[in-house]
Amino acid sequence: MSPAVVAVALALLMGLQPVTTDLYLPALPRLTRAFEASTAQSQLTMSALILAFGMGQLFWGPVADRFGRRPVLLLSLSLYTAASLGATLAPALAWLVLWRTVQGAALAAAVVCARAMVRDLYEPSEGAHVMSKGMSGLGLIAIASPMLGGTLAATLGWRAPLGAVAAIGAIALLFVARQLPESLAHRNPQALRLKPLAAAVREVLGHRTFRAWSALVACTYGGLFAILALSSFVYIEVLGLTPGQYGVALASGSVAYLLGTFFCRRWLLRHGLDGAVRRGAGFSLAGGLSMAGLALAGVQEVWAVLLPQWLYAFGHGIHQPCGQAGAVGPFPRMAGVASALNGFVLASTAFVVGLWVGHAMDGTTRPLGLVLGVFGIATATVGWTLVQRHGVPARARTA
């Protein structure tokens, strides 16, 4: 498989995650009013998706190890596109939550297969470099998604962004069908048998390197998910931005994330996995603490949310490719299982955050600031301790 095809595949498959979350966010307040729902009720459209996304990875990981990445992708992307169309046409909030749940379960397969594909083809250090390229592509998609969603919501109504998600899902399906070959050289016939599967799960969960990287990914994504879940209400209802302006604000955070992936590649070459994360942790901490401090001080201004968001997103652009490649690195023959468990930890953290933030909005920026502060501290702590001790073998460490 050519490097160009791998890079495009990673960007497109993993880019479905911000497409699924970011593109509809500018429409979320209007959707809430259209269904006469509370903020907590409308947040179920995000929380249910994330829960299904996490649980689905536990299923799709072993299936992808047994049958290969390509057939799983073809099936799941077909399901994703159909569920996206169902969400677009949903007549009630309960139906929208149901279709978003199916969307999340199908999305899980795309992300699991993308991460496992990197381990199929590359060793961990090279895999992190390739992953960062894919994450750069994801960053471009993440930049475009909220701006497109804001424009569509403002001009065509809240259903239009959901329709765009369905169209993008169909494009991803077409790319896989026409361009993406199988990356798994040797399928594992034991992957779905209960006893070997349980043994594989125990081996992965018992590995200190897996736990270190999974903790990092969960902490950094927990803060990012708080931004995704609360930012539309904060920017639009608290700070007074229009859906289009909010789309630009959220997209600017994706620009910072994209810059983070560029610096990730440079720091990987100079300092290795642990060195890159050690530097990125400072940005995570600065972003979280600055937003929390400004919110507690009562500064209710756009810049007081936007600048910390940029800092945190920059750090996330370093941690995410390193963490996802590092978590599956020790498991060349169980990449699907390791990828699934890593994704489940990430999604479970986001689900808990989603449940909390749905009830936390108080008409100020404080809930978002406080939760980002907590995850900024947690990310930096993991990056400066667990990752440095267990993230890479001692012989691979660099300054």
Side-chain angles (χ1 to χ4, degrees), residues 107-346:
L107 174 65
V111 175
V112 162
C113 288
R115 289 196 298 252
M117 186 172 66
V118 172
R119 187 62 189 92
D120 294 341
L121 301 171
Y122 304 100
E123 291 300 318
S125 294
E126 188 181 4
H129 188 79
V130 173
M131 182 69 79
S132 72
K133 290 183 178 180
M135 291 292 184
S136 295
L138 179 152
L140 293 174
I141 293 173
I143 291 168
S145 292
M147 291 193 293
L148 176 61
T151 300
L152 291 174
T155 57
L156 299 176
W158 66 264
R159 292 185 187 273
L162 295 173
V165 173
I168 294 169
I171 292 171
L173 175 60
L174 185 63
F175 174 83
V176 170
R178 292 191 173 184
Q179 298 294 330
L180 195 66
E182 179 59 58
S183 65
L184 183 62
H186 303 288
R187 293 171 176 82
N188 181 4
Q190 308 294 322
L192 295 177
R193 295 185 180 179
L194 185 58
K195 188 174 181 179
L197 178 59
V201 169
R202 285 196 301 271
E203 180 179 346
V204 172
L205 292 178
H207 203 290
R208 291 183 299 181
T209 298
F210 173 83
R211 293 201 299 266
W213 288 116
S214 292
L216 180 76
V217 169
C219 289
T220 184
Y221 190 74
L224 183 73
F225 187 78
I227 294 173
L228 296 178
L230 282 176
S231 60
S232 61
F233 295 99
V234 167
Y235 278 115
I236 295 174
E237 298 190 346
V238 177
L239 301 177
L241 299 188
T242 66
Q245 291 170 332
Y246 164 67
V248 174
L250 190 61
S252 70
S254 297
V255 174
Y257 168 83
L258 181 62
L259 289 174
T261 65
F262 289 147
F263 274 84
C264 177
R265 290 200 291 277
R266 293 182 60 186
W267 289 345
L268 280 170
L269 292 175
R270 295 180 181 180
H271 309 293
L273 281 167
D274 54 332
V277 167
R278 186 163 59 246
R279 288 157 177 80
F283 290 91
S284 303
L285 184 62
L289 289 183
S290 60
M291 188 180 291
L294 289 166
L296 289 174
V299 182
Q300 304 290 292
E301 302 288 343
V302 171
W303 67 265
V305 178
L306 196 60
L307 295 181
Q309 176 187 325
W310 290 347
L311 289 171
Y312 194 91
F314 182 90
H316 187 69
I318 295 165
H319 299 314
Q320 196 75 350
C322 291
Q324 294 196 0
V328 301
F331 311 104
R333 296 187 62 82
M334 296 182 293
V337 172
S339 174
L341 290 171
N342 175 254
F344 177 73
V345 172
L346 178 153

